[in-house]
Amino acid sequence: QQAAQQQQAAQQQQAAQQQQAAQQQPQAAGGSGLSVQGCQNATVGNIVRGTYSQYSENHQRAVYRRSEQVNGLDVLVYYWDDRDGPNFCGWWFGPKVGGDQVWAYNSERSMTPPSAGWRVPYDGPQDTTFSVNVSGADGGASPQQQAYAQQQHAQQQQQQQ
């Protein structure tokens, strides 16, 4: 009887460990992904080029994570809203959402990362070779979301003039 209790305790412990391991693995929040190509900056290009899958969410937008780490760091694409001012609002490439280290920036307020118009480095000129392509079952943002984002962008352009 004591052997049976020990075996049952071992099974419960193993089940608890498996459950804990499953909780530690972040779940993909959908089926969409990104493909990043180009980039004239050789250092940044080696970091950001590749395929990404949806990883989490930030400021009502998807966060994407590159399939491979670079130098032990995650490579994320995320959106930051204007809570810290308009100069910080837009899409960013960096190892941590909202972190100080960033590799590229785009001021578009779209629902998905824009395909063109990225600044590499974040405060440098636009890199016309740098492209981000959204893929996935849902094709990215809905037409309504895209229209709303375009309307918001047009309003911002008018306010800046």
Side-chain angles (χ1 to χ4, degrees):
Q1 189 177 10
Q2 190 177 9
Q5 287 175 335
Q6 287 175 338
Q7 186 178 6
Q8 186 179 8
Q11 287 173 342
Q12 287 174 343
Q13 186 179 5
Q14 186 179 8
Q17 287 172 342
Q18 288 172 345
Q19 187 176 5
Q20 189 178 15
Q23 288 172 350
Q24 289 173 351
Q25 294 176 346
Q27 298 295 313
S32 65
L34 303 176
S35 172
V36 176
Q37 287 127 7
C39 191
Q40 293 174 343
N41 182 309
T43 303
V44 174
N46 288 334
I47 294 168
V48 300
R49 277 191 296 266
T51 57
Y52 294 70
S53 57
Q54 198 167 335
Y55 171 64
S56 65
E57 192 175 282
N58 188 62
H59 297 181
Q60 288 83 45
R61 309 283 200 289
V63 174
Y64 299 88
R65 182 173 66 176
R66 188 171 172 213
S67 54
E68 296 106 30
Q69 288 189 329
V70 176
N71 298 328
L73 296 173
D74 281 337
V75 182
L76 304 176
V77 182
Y78 63 91
Y79 180 80
W80 196 262
D81 66 18
D82 59 6
R83 67 185 64 192
D84 295 324
N87 292 342
F88 296 99
C89 184
W91 287 93
W92 297 87
F93 277 81
K96 193 172 94 179
V97 172
D100 292 336
Q101 183 181 3
V102 292
W103 297 297
Y105 169 68
N106 192 310
S107 61
E108 287 286 324
R109 295 182 181 215
S110 53
M111 292 304 292
T112 57
S115 58
W118 291 89
R119 296 185 179 281
V120 183
Y122 74 95
D123 58 351
Q126 283 190 13
D127 183 340
T128 56
T129 70
F130 192 97
S131 70
V132 177
N133 299 302
V134 179
S135 62
D138 62 358
S142 70
Q144 291 89 350
Q145 289 171 322
Q146 290 173 347
Y148 176 75
Q150 288 171 348
Q151 184 181 10
Q152 292 291 96
H153 183 68
Q155 288 174 351
Q156 289 169 355
Q157 297 289 2
Q158 288 174 346
Q159 289 171 357
Q160 291 174 358
Q161 292 175 353

